Amino acid sequence: MESAQPTQGSLSWRLSSHPITLLTFLAFRVSSLLVYLFGVIFTDNMVLIFIVTILLLAADFYYLKNIAGRRLVGLRWWNEVDPSSGDSSWVFESSDPNTRVINATDSRFFWLAIYAQPVLWVALAILALVRLKFMWLPLVAIAIVLTITNSLAFSRCDKFSQASNIAGSALYSSNIAGNLASNMVGRLFTFGRS
């Protein structure tokens, strides 16, 4: 009997275009949760759990923001501060859809993991409140802030990317950009002549 081959977009890491990046991304995502859960259940050493969980959350934040997002879904974001005014602005970057095709499996894993982890941390915050374990709330709050920041930033980056792709394809498909450029250059050379 022949086994069914998984289709593109299914949750099988073997279909990934970047399996090492995907597995490392998932390992960071899961490890902070597991260290927190098993640490709370099996040990009373809060300092050790706190430090290891924070280090894993920081590594996850960095890896997702700078490596996994770019390689798995072609998205990157960062925050720039204007030194003269102190104003902060978000910068979103996406790969060119004409040169890079995003693997459906990578994309599905990425978006599922990026939205599931904040939900799990919120559930753990509620659990800490119900069990009256208030000393764990700062750690859970830090985890929620880091995971929601990445979730929101990548969501905005994706929306920005989609809007840019739509606008870019509209300009290039109807040759509006070329017509505008040639009309402007033509007007520069005919300015003042009647």
Side-chain angles (χ1 to χ4, degrees):
M1 188 172 195
E2 195 172 311
S3 65
Q5 293 291 329
T7 60
Q8 189 66 14
S10 64
L11 291 177
S12 173
W13 67 270
R14 289 182 175 94
L15 296 175
S16 174
S17 296
H18 307 285
I20 293 173
T21 303
L22 178 64
L23 292 175
T24 306
F25 162 66
L26 293 175
F28 278 131
R29 292 255 109 172
V30 171
S31 63
S32 59
L33 285 164
L34 290 178
V35 166
Y36 174 78
L37 284 172
F38 288 134
V40 169
I41 293 170
F42 294 121
T43 186
D44 291 330
N45 191 348
M46 182 189 170
V47 174
L48 177 67
I49 298 165
F50 194 93
I51 291 171
V52 172
T53 305
I54 290 292
L55 288 174
L56 288 170
L57 284 166
D60 173 51
F61 186 86
Y62 174 82
Y63 190 78
L64 172 60
K65 181 178 157 315
N66 294 309
I67 300 168
R70 184 175 46 84
R71 295 205 62 201
L72 297 177
V73 291
L75 301 173
R76 243 180 90 204
W77 66 271
W78 62 92
N79 195 327
E80 289 182 350
V81 177
D82 184 15
S84 60
S85 67
D87 291 336
S88 175
S89 64
W90 292 65
V91 179
F92 303 113
E93 180 181 273
S94 62
S95 62
D96 185 13
N98 297 327
T99 59
R100 176 162 181 200
V101 176
I102 304 299
N103 183 325
T105 299
D106 289 340
S107 178
R108 191 160 178 210
F109 267 115
F110 180 85
W111 293 111
L112 183 64
I114 205 168
Y115 290 130
Q117 191 177 28
V119 171
L120 292 172
W121 281 111
V122 168
L124 290 172
I126 293 169
L127 186 63
L129 287 171
V130 169
R131 295 180 59 207
L132 303 175
K133 301 281 187 177
F134 300 117
M135 65 182 188
W136 293 106
L137 287 178
L139 174 60
V140 175
I142 291 169
I144 289 170
V145 167
L146 288 174
T147 57
I148 287 179
T149 299
N150 255 336
S151 299
L152 290 176
F154 275 109
S155 295
R156 287 183 182 174
C157 191
D158 186 46
K159 287 180 184 172
F160 174 78
S161 168
Q162 290 173 0
S164 296
N165 293 341
I166 290 170
S169 65
L171 282 173
Y172 292 122
S173 66
S174 62
N175 203 16
I176 292 174
N179 290 337
L180 284 174
S182 65
N183 287 338
M184 289 181 73
V185 170
R187 286 185 183 180
L188 284 175
F189 291 114
T190 59
F191 185 72
R193 292 187 201 168
S194 298

